[in-house]
Coordinates of all heavy atoms in Angstrom, one line a residue:
A83 N 25.6 30.0 59.7 CA 25.9 29.0 58.8 C 25.4 27.6 59.2 O 25.2 26.7 58.4 CB 27.4 28.9 58.5
E84 N 25.1 27.5 60.5 CA 24.6 26.2 61.1 C 23.3 26.0 60.5 O 22.4 26.8 60.4 CB 24.6 26.3 62.6 CG 24.3 25.0 63.3 CD 22.8 24.7 63.4 OE1 22.1 25.6 63.7 OE2 22.4 23.5 63.2
N85 N 23.1 24.7 60.0 CA 21.9 24.4 59.1 C 20.6 24.7 59.8 O 19.7 25.2 59.1 CB 21.9 22.9 58.8 CG 22.8 22.6 57.6 OD1 23.3 23.6 56.9 ND2 23.1 21.4 57.3
N86 N 20.4 24.5 61.0 CA 19.0 24.6 61.6 C 18.8 25.9 62.4 O 17.9 26.0 63.2 CB 18.7 23.4 62.5 CG 18.5 22.2 61.6 OD1 17.8 22.3 60.6 ND2 18.9 21.0 62.1
N87 N 19.7 26.9 62.3 CA 19.6 28.1 63.0 C 18.8 29.1 62.2 O 19.3 30.0 61.6 CB 21.0 28.7 63.3 CG 20.9 29.8 64.3 OD1 19.9 30.1 64.9 ND2 22.1 30.4 64.6
W88 N 17.5 28.9 62.2 CA 16.5 29.7 61.6 C 15.6 30.5 62.6 O 15.3 29.9 63.7 CB 15.6 28.9 60.7 CG 16.3 28.3 59.5 CD1 16.9 27.1 59.5 CD2 16.3 28.8 58.2 NE1 17.4 26.8 58.3 CE2 17.1 27.8 57.4 CE3 15.9 29.9 57.5 CZ2 17.3 28.0 56.1 CZ3 16.1 30.1 56.2 CH2 16.8 29.1 55.4
S89 N 15.2 31.7 62.3 CA 14.4 32.4 63.3 C 13.4 33.3 62.6 O 13.6 33.6 61.4 CB 15.3 33.2 64.2 OG 15.9 34.3 63.5
Y90 N 12.4 33.7 63.3 CA 11.3 34.6 62.8 C 10.8 35.4 64.0 O 11.0 35.0 65.1 CB 10.2 33.8 62.1 CG 9.5 32.8 63.0 CD1 8.3 33.2 63.7 CD2 10.0 31.5 63.2 CE1 7.7 32.3 64.5 CE2 9.3 30.6 64.0 CZ 8.2 31.0 64.6 OH 7.5 30.1 65.5
E91 N 10.2 36.5 63.7 CA 9.7 37.4 64.8 C 8.3 36.9 65.3 O 7.6 36.1 64.6 CB 9.5 38.8 64.2 CG 10.8 39.5 63.9 CD 10.7 40.9 63.4 OE1 9.5 41.3 63.2 OE2 11.7 41.6 63.1
N92 N 8.0 37.3 66.5 CA 6.7 36.9 67.1 C 6.5 35.4 67.1 O 5.6 34.9 66.4 CB 5.5 37.6 66.4 CG 5.7 39.1 66.4 OD1 6.1 39.7 67.4 ND2 5.4 39.8 65.3
K93 N 7.3 34.8 67.9 CA 7.3 33.3 68.0 C 5.9 32.7 68.2 O 5.1 33.3 69.0 CB 8.2 32.8 69.1 CG 9.7 33.1 68.8 CD 10.2 32.3 67.7 CE 11.7 32.5 67.5 NZ 12.2 31.7 66.3
K94 N 5.6 31.6 67.6 CA 4.3 30.9 67.8 C 4.6 29.6 68.6 O 5.7 29.1 68.5 CB 3.7 30.5 66.4 CG 3.7 31.7 65.4 CD 2.8 32.9 65.9 CE 2.8 34.0 64.8 NZ 2.1 35.2 65.3
Y95 N 3.6 29.1 69.3 CA 3.7 28.0 70.1 C 2.7 26.9 69.7 O 1.6 27.2 69.2 CB 3.5 28.4 71.6 CG 4.6 29.2 72.1 CD1 4.6 30.6 71.9 CD2 5.6 28.7 72.9 CE1 5.6 31.4 72.4 CE2 6.6 29.5 73.4 CZ 6.6 30.9 73.1 OH 7.6 31.7 73.6
W96 N 3.1 25.7 69.9 CA 2.2 24.6 69.6 C 1.0 24.6 70.4 O 1.0 24.8 71.6 CB 2.9 23.2 69.8 CG 4.2 23.0 69.0 CD1 5.5 23.1 69.3 CD2 4.2 22.6 67.6 NE1 6.3 22.8 68.3 CE2 5.5 22.5 67.2 CE3 3.2 22.3 66.7 CZ2 5.9 22.1 65.9 CZ3 3.6 21.9 65.4 CH2 4.9 21.8 65.0
D97 N -0.2 24.4 69.8 CA -1.5 24.3 70.5 C -1.8 22.8 70.7 O -2.0 22.1 69.8 CB -2.5 24.9 69.6 CG -3.9 25.0 70.3 OD1 -4.1 24.4 71.3 OD2 -4.8 25.6 69.7
L98 N -1.8 22.4 72.0 CA -2.0 21.0 72.3 C -3.5 20.5 72.0 O -3.7 19.3 72.0 CB -1.7 20.8 73.8 CG -0.2 20.9 74.2 CD1 -0.1 20.5 75.7 CD2 0.6 20.0 73.3
S99 N -4.4 21.5 71.8 CA -5.7 21.1 71.4 C -5.8 20.7 69.9 O -6.8 20.2 69.5 CB -6.7 22.2 71.8 OG -6.5 23.3 71.0
A100 N -4.8 21.1 69.2 CA -4.8 20.8 67.7 C -4.4 19.3 67.5 O -3.6 18.7 68.2 CB -3.8 21.7 67.0
S101 N -4.9 18.7 66.4 CA -4.6 17.4 66.0 C -3.4 17.4 65.0 O -2.7 16.4 64.9 CB -5.7 16.6 65.4 OG -6.2 17.3 64.3
S102 N -3.3 18.5 64.3 CA -2.2 18.6 63.3 C -1.9 20.0 62.9 O -2.8 20.9 63.1 CB -2.5 17.7 62.1 OG -3.6 18.3 61.4
Y103 N -0.8 20.2 62.3 CA -0.4 21.5 61.7 C 0.0 21.2 60.2 O 0.6 20.2 60.0 CB 0.7 22.2 62.4 CG 0.4 22.9 63.7 CD1 0.2 22.1 64.9 CD2 0.2 24.3 63.7 CE1 -0.1 22.8 66.0 CE2 -0.1 24.9 64.9 CZ -0.2 24.2 66.1 OH -0.5 24.8 67.3
T104 N -0.3 22.1 59.3 CA 0.0 22.0 57.9 C 0.8 23.2 57.4 O 0.3 24.3 57.7 CB -1.2 21.7 57.0 OG1 -1.9 20.6 57.5 CG2 -0.8 21.6 55.6
F105 N 1.9 23.0 56.7 CA 2.8 24.1 56.3 C 3.1 24.1 54.8 O 3.2 23.1 54.2 CB 4.1 24.0 57.1 CG 3.9 24.0 58.6 CD1 3.9 22.9 59.3 CD2 3.8 25.2 59.3 CE1 3.8 22.8 60.7 CE2 3.6 25.2 60.7 CZ 3.6 24.0 61.4
Y106 N 3.2 25.3 54.3 CA 3.7 25.6 52.9 C 4.8 26.7 53.0 O 4.7 27.5 53.9 CB 2.6 26.0 52.0 CG 1.4 25.1 51.9 CD1 0.3 25.2 52.8 CD2 1.3 24.1 51.0 CE1 -0.8 24.4 52.8 CE2 0.2 23.3 50.9 CZ -0.8 23.4 51.8 OH -1.9 22.5 51.7
A107 N 5.7 26.6 52.0 CA 6.8 27.7 52.1 C 7.4 27.9 50.7 O 7.3 27.0 49.8 CB 7.8 27.3 53.1

Side-chain angles (χ1 to χ4, degrees):
E84 192 270 320
N85 277 348
N86 286 322
N87 191 5
W88 295 84
S89 67
Y90 59 95
E91 295 181 354
N92 300 320
K93 294 292 184 180
K94 311 299 181 183
Y95 292 81
W96 297 102
D97 183 352
L98 293 184
S99 65
S101 59
S102 66
Y103 283 79
T104 301
F105 302 97
Y106 303 89

